[in-house]
Amino acid sequence: MAETHSLQDLQQPAVSSKVFVQRDYSSGTICKFQTKFPSELESRLDKQQFEETIQTLNNLYAEAEKLGGKSYFEGCLACLTAYTIFLCMETHYEKVLKKIARYIKDQNEKIYAPRGLLLTDPIERGLRVVEITIFEDRSIGSGR
Amino acid sequence: MKNCEYQQIDPRALSVLPSSAQNHTEKKAQRPRRKWEVFPGKNRFFCDGRIILARQNGVLPLTLSLIIVTCGLFFAFDCPFLVKHLTVFIPVIGGVLFVFVVLSLLRTSFTDPGILPRATPDEAADVEKQIDTSGSSTYRPPPRTKEILINQQVVKLKYCFTCKTFRPPRTSHCSLCDNCVERFDHHCPWVGNCVGKRNYRFFYSFIISLSFLTSFIFGCVITHITLRTQAGKTIVQAIQESPARYPFLELVVCFFSIWSILGLSGFHTYLVASNLTTNEDIKGSWSSKRGAEDSGNPYTYNSIITNCCATLCGPMPPSLIDRRGFLPHDEAIPAVSASEIELPPFTAKNDAHMVG
């Protein structure tokens, strides 16, 4: 499968800068990110697309942290089993986190990667920020 | 691949996995290390990162031994007598309580309390940039704070110089563990760990069940000695006769622990009902004495039941520090054209680390 490639093909796209979308604490300690559009992305991305991504992420995190019958049931069941049930069962939160990871991967493939951007899953950053990496604009003639 | 104005980044080209490294010449060929091995806080890890403890956990063995020894004496000396004279359920109840107490204690000690990972260098630089642009001078400014509105109430967020990030609300930096912990309650030496967002419910069930256990043992020992004295002897004679002074020893331990444990349980029940942490209560963050117009607790749901349910039965948040994840390879391995090599599906995890 070996083939010769030009040096440019072998080079990684260089990181130009990173943008950090901070947490929005206006509703308390629940996980929510600011929907304010960063100015560095103006040339690359639509404001509406960005807001939609962040809003969907916020909704997913809200679903994970929702207080309701299901989470209370899980909590009570865990207490009755002296919390040993967490060793064998995946919590609701973890299930939603997997959903979020799939969503981010999907967004990266469809929207962000074609524009030279990369979304990092906030869980990689301790749910503090949504990191968006901006890659250098290298408009080369031929693709791979 | 189609031509586009921007370099189309094939996500697969960016993933760097240990398996793909065999295609390239590597400077190092060491076993992949897990993140817990380079964790910056003062914690100890066991079972390859599955169990986390504070570095200073000197009193945890004492707590465990006190519980085990007292219960052991109870089962050995009191139960046979009480089973004969009362009911067989006594050791059963004692056994269930004992198991619950030990499991809760171990769960509290070995669970990540909600440690916030430190900021990556890029994040820290971004925060510094934002602070500098707001007009601070070049020398290190006084403690940086940021004011935000939570439920229409002003809350100050402090900047943590160790973790290089603005602490989320209710987060505090524990100097013993050298970590920022979310919803920080206190660092408990008896348990050998911080008590925070993720293990507060375990801590609470530990102290509640321990209150029941100590009261139960105390009651049983009193009953035991009383039944013996009823047979016409004095207390001194009864104690001397019963297989030693062990019940008396249990009595002493239980008597002294009951006051403190019951008091602590009562205090924490109040905290749970009002959705406060020990840290906030001690500092008086939300007390009305402060004088501000509306300085009530912005996190409370204004209902005791909802507060209790939210604190104790709410969803279990995940651990943010990913102890068992693998460290990325340090050098950026140039990606050979991805279309010619079968790479595993795109994973964002590795990308972030590689470029960070």
Side-chain angles (χ1 to χ4, degrees):
Chain A
M1 281 249 187
E3 251 181 82
T4 53
H5 306 280
S6 72
L7 186 63
Q8 262 186 330
D9 288 333
L10 289 175
Q11 258 177 358
Q12 298 259 269
V15 178
S16 157
S17 65
K18 290 188 184 188
V19 177
F20 297 96
V21 179
Q22 300 287 341
R23 283 272 294 268
D24 175 9
Y25 294 114
S26 56
S27 318
T29 50
I30 60 163
C31 185
K32 200 171 153 192
F33 292 98
Q34 292 176 357
T35 46
K36 181 168 144 313
F37 187 58
S39 49
E40 294 94 329
L41 297 176
E42 262 163 24
S43 56
R44 303 266 190 134
L45 192 64
D46 282 338
K47 182 174 170 181
Q48 199 222 349
Q49 254 163 350
F50 171 80
E51 276 176 9
E52 195 189 304
T53 309
I54 301 290
Q55 199 52 53
T56 312
L57 281 177
N58 287 343
N59 291 341
L60 284 169
Y61 282 115
E63 186 196 319
E65 296 182 4
K66 196 170 70 127
L67 298 171
K70 190 163 185 257
S71 69
Y72 291 153
F73 173 71
E74 201 181 58
C76 289
L77 183 68
C79 180
L80 289 173
T81 59
Y83 301 107
T84 48
I85 200 161
F86 285 147
L87 298 168
C88 20
M89 197 177 84
E90 198 181 53
T91 66
H92 172 65
Y93 209 117
E94 283 166 354
K95 288 189 188 124
V96 179
L97 282 180
K98 287 199 175 149
K99 212 159 125 180
I100 290 173
R102 282 194 301 268
Y103 174 73
I104 289 186
K105 178 178 158 189
D106 184 62
Q107 289 280 290
N108 269 329
E109 279 171 1
K110 292 197 182 129
I111 300 177
Y112 290 84
R115 290 169 171 75
L117 299 170
L118 183 70
L119 270 183
T120 304
D121 195 335
I123 196 78
E124 308 278 328
R125 297 286 176 265
L127 292 181
R128 284 188 311 261
V129 287
V130 176
E131 186 181 298
I132 303 178
T133 314
I134 304 176
F135 291 98
E136 258 175 27
D137 171 13
R138 298 194 304 163
S139 35
I140 50 175
S142 56
R144 280 178 290 268
Chain B
M1 292 279 153
K2 59 179 182 0
N3 296 339
C4 12
E5 194 189 320
Y6 293 102
Q7 165 81 31
Q8 170 130 13
I9 296 164
D10 187 350
R12 288 171 299 168
L14 301 173
S15 70
V16 176
L17 295 168
S19 54
S20 66
Q22 17 176 307
N23 296 326
H24 313 279
T25 50
E26 285 250 297
K27 282 178 278 189
K28 55 177 166 76
Q30 295 151 5
R31 63 164 183 85
R33 294 168 75 203
R34 293 198 192 256
K35 290 183 194 164
W36 64 265
E37 300 180 51
V38 297
F39 187 70
K42 291 185 193 160
N43 288 94
R44 277 195 271 186
F45 297 90
F46 300 99
C47 292
D48 201 21
R50 288 183 181 88
I51 291 177
I52 177 172
L53 268 175
R55 193 160 291 180
Q56 300 183 8
N57 61 342
V59 200
L60 173 64
L62 174 67
T63 313
L64 268 173
S65 9
L66 269 177
I67 295 173
I68 291 176
V69 166
T70 312
C71 288
L73 292 175
F74 169 73
F75 287 121
F77 297 107
D78 293 297
C79 281
F81 183 87
L82 289 170
V83 164
K84 204 163 54 167
H85 288 85
L86 279 180
T87 166
V88 74
F89 284 114
I90 303 251
V92 171
I93 297 173
V96 167
L97 280 174
F98 171 70
V99 165
F100 201 84
V101 165
V102 171
L103 283 176
S104 305
L105 171 62
L106 293 179
R107 206 63 222 253
T108 312
S109 302
F110 297 157
T111 304
D112 166 19
I115 295 174
L116 210 54
R118 299 198 181 173
T120 56
D122 294 310
E123 265 182 78
D126 189 66
V127 172
E128 295 267 344
K129 201 171 60 178
Q130 285 179 7
I131 294 174
D132 280 338
T133 51
S134 57
S136 312
S137 35
T138 48
Y139 67 89
R140 179 167 149 161
R144 304 159 173 174
T145 55
K146 192 161 78 165
E147 285 191 355
I148 53 166
L149 270 182
I150 295 181
N151 292 329
Q152 273 73 55
Q153 199 167 316
V154 176
V155 173
K156 270 206 181 109
L157 296 187
K158 286 203 189 130
Y159 183 76
C160 181
F161 284 104
T162 315
C163 304
K164 303 237 179 341
T165 176
F166 277 99
R167 283 185 214 131
R170 308 192 99 173
T171 304
S172 194
H173 192 94
C174 175
S175 44
L176 288 164
C177 304
D178 203 25
N179 288 313
C180 268
V181 177
E182 290 195 293
R183 204 182 183 281
F184 180 73
D185 196 85
H186 66 286
H187 182 102
C188 185
W190 295 96
V191 151
N193 201 1
C194 286
V195 177
K197 182 161 89 165
R198 293 187 77 244
N199 64 353
Y200 187 72
R201 65 190 73 193
F202 306 139
F203 176 74
Y204 186 73
S205 53
F206 166 62
I207 55 175
I208 293 288
S209 49
L210 190 61
S211 321
F212 280 118
L213 182 67
T214 45
S215 319
F216 182 73
I217 292 184
F218 190 71
C220 287
V221 172
I222 297 276
T223 313
H224 181 184
I225 294 182
T226 313
L227 286 176
R228 282 196 187 263
T229 53
Q230 268 177 357
K233 310 183 190 89
T234 64
I235 290 186
V236 176
Q237 275 179 320
I239 289 176
Q240 279 174 342
E241 177 197 277
S242 71
R245 313 79 207 144
Y246 298 126
F248 190 68
L249 174 67
E250 293 170 53
L251 211 62
V252 167
V253 170
C254 288
F255 183 76
F256 286 113
S257 28
I258 272 188
W259 296 115
S260 38
I261 301 287
L262 279 179
L264 197 63
S265 304
F267 175 62
H268 277 279
T269 308
Y270 155 72
L271 288 181
V272 165
S274 34
N275 206 327
L276 279 172
T277 63
T278 308
N279 203 25
E280 287 164 356
D281 189 71
I282 287 177
K283 283 191 194 160
S285 313
W286 313 119
S287 81
S288 48
K289 286 186 287 208
R290 281 282 176 97
E293 304 92 54
D294 46 359
S295 62
N297 181 6
Y299 312 108
T300 180
Y301 295 93
N302 290 316
S303 149
I304 290 181
I305 296 186
T306 318
N307 281 338
C308 291
C309 290
T311 313
L312 302 173
C313 303
M316 182 73 183
S319 175
L320 298 174
I321 55 176
D322 188 25
R323 308 185 286 278
R324 304 197 69 239
F326 286 103
L327 283 174
H329 290 280
D330 286 330
E331 73 256 31
I333 298 162
V336 185
S337 181
S339 50
E340 273 78 37
I341 287 186
E342 279 301 304
L343 280 178
F346 166 72
T347 52
K349 184 190 275 267
N350 294 311
D351 298 334
H353 293 307
M354 191 190 65
V355 298

